[in-house]
Amino acid sequence: MADLWNNLLASLDLRVSPPGGRTVAVAETATTTAIPDIPATAFEGPNLPLNYRRLFGGQILGQFVRAAELACPDKKVKSVHTLFAREGSYDEPVRYEVSCQHQGRSFATLSILARQSARVVASAAVSMHVDEDGPQSQHVEDVPALPAPEYGVTFDLLPWETRAFDDLNSPAAAPPEYEFWMRTPPVDPRFTAALTAYATDLNLIGTALRPFEGVSQRGNGTAFNSAVTAHTLWLHRPFRTDDWLLLRQHSPLLAHGRCFGRGDVLTAAGVLVASFAQEALVRFDPAVAQDLSKQPAAQHG
């Protein structure tokens, strides 16, 4: 787990990728200048060395966030809206090409292409905003108490503490809802947004599968094949990932080979700090699909 944590931080430490030149650390360049001074900015970061047949989408989401932060350092990411075009290859670095659509005193809008060779792997639209003060109002359900250590759970791609009352890998039918707590090791707060983007990519497909008896997210590659097609993250308030956070998620729909889910990120004090939503392909094996279609969970359109 420690190796994955260190590799994840390394993947988020993007370097400037000049056209036709060597990739250099951001500190070696003058690219901390805001985007309007340069027409485009490109960055690269190493891929996570996972035993996985394609790039994990959470890596790409985190690197999108970091590319935006490096390209426009005087503002913070407010939202990132990502479309995944095709699978990424784990044996080639991803180049993130950033273009500025608008840069004002308070807001900036960026578009980012993630490329491998000549192929676009994913694209993102990023909205950025300076810090502002003002009245606040929040209306969410209360946050439950943090589960005790004996409720620790393991998610293969999350290299930090996680706890939950429910087992997302259980094949027993359950409502399409899931909550889990997480806390990273101590980390530089500049990685907060990117680590949150990474974490929110993992469990929404599993949440959507919960109403079906006999299948869980562990069935990916056997009972079904899945791939995230779109993901959005909104960042509402400052926070840290090395404090306990609750990820509360719900999937209202799985239909026509796709699932949709959404969630909130809250602090232990109940402060809503981020929200996210995701659409994904879920293509069942024909025999499994026939069996699932007979279950009560499939009788709602």
Side-chain angles (χ1 to χ4, degrees):
M1 184 173 288
D3 287 344
L4 178 56
W5 171 246
N6 291 330
N7 289 330
L8 175 55
L9 293 183
S11 76
L12 299 176
D13 189 17
L14 300 188
R15 294 171 172 262
V16 175
S17 177
R22 70 182 182 95
T23 301
V24 296
V26 172
E28 298 178 47
T29 73
T31 55
T32 52
T33 306
I35 270 188
D37 296 334
I38 46 179
T41 307
F43 302 93
E44 286 186 10
N47 296 327
L48 292 174
L50 302 175
N51 183 20
Y52 201 63
R53 64 187 177 90
R54 60 186 184 224
L55 290 185
F56 174 48
Q59 173 198 310
I60 295 174
L61 292 173
Q63 290 176 331
F64 270 139
V65 169
R66 290 295 295 140
E69 291 172 335
L70 293 170
C72 193
D74 61 330
K75 297 178 176 66
K76 295 181 179 179
V77 173
K78 176 177 70 71
S79 62
V80 54
H81 313 270
T82 299
L83 295 176
F84 292 94
R86 54 172 56 88
E87 291 185 3
S89 173
Y90 67 89
D91 57 1
E92 180 183 348
V94 180
R95 176 182 169 91
Y96 293 89
E97 300 174 354
V98 186
S99 298
C100 182
Q101 308 303 321
H102 167 75
Q103 175 79 283
R105 288 188 297 271
S106 298
F107 289 91
T109 303
L110 314 180
S111 60
I112 309 177
L113 291 179
R115 292 184 183 273
Q116 288 185 316
S117 301
R119 293 163 28 117
V120 173
V121 175
S123 61
V126 183
S127 179
M128 307 192 74
H129 187 205
V130 298
D131 286 332
E132 293 192 26
D133 293 325
Q136 298 189 31
S137 177
Q138 174 182 303
H139 305 278
V140 297
E141 293 183 12
D142 291 340
V143 169
L146 173 70
E150 56 263 33
Y151 289 96
V153 294
T154 299
F155 299 112
D156 293 341
L157 295 176
L158 297 186
W160 49 68
E161 291 181 89
T162 49
R163 299 180 189 178
F165 289 114
D166 295 329
D167 181 7
L168 196 59
N169 295 325
S170 171
E177 301 169 351
Y178 188 68
E179 294 186 352
F180 72 97
W181 291 84
M182 69 171 228
R183 180 175 65 176
T184 69
V187 65
D188 190 321
R190 67 192 172 102
F191 291 121
T192 293
L195 289 170
T196 304
Y198 177 92
T200 59
D201 186 54
L202 188 62
N203 287 325
L204 276 171
I205 295 174
T207 302
L209 293 170
R210 297 196 78 196
F212 293 102
E213 185 75 28
V215 67
S216 76
Q217 62 181 6
R218 289 293 189 190
N220 192 15
T222 54
F224 64 91
N225 289 301
S226 66
V228 175
T229 55
H231 188 100
T232 294
L233 172 69
W234 295 268
L235 297 155
H236 308 309
R237 294 178 166 121
F239 64 102
R240 299 183 63 101
T241 59
D242 48 15
D243 292 329
W244 281 107
L245 298 170
L246 174 68
L247 276 69
R248 173 182 285 163
Q249 49 199 40
H250 167 66
S251 176
L253 182 68
L254 188 155
H256 301 288
R258 302 188 306 275
C259 67
F260 172 74
R262 54 200 175 206
D264 291 326
V265 182
L266 302 107
T267 68
V271 177
L272 177 64
V273 294
S275 299
F276 56 100
Q278 184 181 90
E279 181 193 63
L281 167 75
V282 182
R283 185 175 288 154
F284 288 98
D285 174 85
V288 174
Q290 186 174 14
D291 290 341
L292 296 181
S293 66
K294 300 174 184 176
Q295 295 187 18
Q299 306 305 314
H300 299 285

